[in-house]
Amino acid sequence: MLRTAALRTTRIRRVLVLCAAAVAAGALAAPGAQAAPSGQPAPGTVAPQVYAPPVGAQAGPAAAAERRHTGREIHRFLTWFYGEHGPTDSQREHFVSDFLKQKQADNPDHDVLLCAQNTPQSIEVGPVTVAQSAGFGWATVTAYWADGTTSTFTGYVALDSHPIELHDVVCAR
């Protein structure tokens, strides 16, 4: 478990260094120039805000800290992402990390985003914990099932992910 966390942290650091270099080089498009996800949210649902660095922000530790997602933003994202019955195909495509997509590919008979095989009746997102030093925010998500049972899992969001995305899910035992 510790080795997996160390490898994941190393990968994230490499990605952050590459992203910082791209921002410094001006290779990343402005938020208005980015394409919107192909699937629009259902009427009455709120799409998550896509966060971008402040205009004129310099790449570096101070600028990176300014662009980090807050607990409130993460809660809003997770609530939108999971909705009432789980994420849509479009959300799964555009708002999930490559790490989590690979985890799903490795477990085709199990929905790793919901830690289940069925569609829940409803979903509730708990309070968010943010660990600036770890670079992640997370919340416990509770799924309510048709048979009256509940299940819980933890959804993790990288604080520096732009656009914001679900990075990992850990199922409760």
Side-chain angles (χ1 to χ4, degrees):
M1 179 73 168
L2 183 58
R3 183 169 186 264
T4 302
L7 289 173
R8 191 174 310 141
T9 301
T10 302
R11 260 188 244 128
I12 290 170
R13 285 186 185 146
R14 281 189 212 136
V15 169
L16 293 177
V17 169
L18 292 173
C19 289
V23 169
L28 296 179
Q34 295 175 352
S38 59
Q40 297 299 319
T45 61
V46 178
Q49 183 177 357
V50 177
Y51 304 97
V55 175
Q58 298 292 324
E66 290 176 21
R67 293 188 313 258
R68 289 184 159 205
H69 303 299
T70 65
R72 177 184 239 168
E73 292 167 339
I74 292 169
H75 190 273
R76 185 172 52 233
F77 168 74
L78 289 173
T79 301
W80 169 82
F81 182 81
Y82 280 106
E84 283 294 310
H85 306 291
T88 64
D89 289 340
S90 177
Q91 289 167 315
R92 289 170 185 271
E93 177 63 28
H94 298 289
F95 297 100
V96 173
S97 69
D98 290 339
F99 170 78
L100 198 48
K101 288 177 184 174
Q102 183 60 49
K103 190 174 177 180
Q104 181 62 67
D106 293 342
N107 296 284
D109 297 333
H110 188 75
D111 186 345
V112 298
L113 300 183
L114 292 169
C115 295
Q117 293 177 326
N118 300 318
T119 302
Q121 294 289 93
S122 64
I123 298 176
E124 184 178 292
V125 177
V128 172
T129 301
V130 175
Q132 293 290 335
S133 61
F136 285 93
W138 61 89
T140 299
V141 180
T142 305
Y144 298 89
W145 303 96
D147 64 0
T149 61
T150 62
S151 62
T152 60
F153 52 92
T154 304
Y156 292 87
V157 172
L159 298 180
D160 295 331
S161 62
H162 294 282
I164 192 168
E165 66 182 11
L166 185 63
H167 178 74
D168 196 6
V169 173
V170 176
C171 305
R173 301 233 183 250

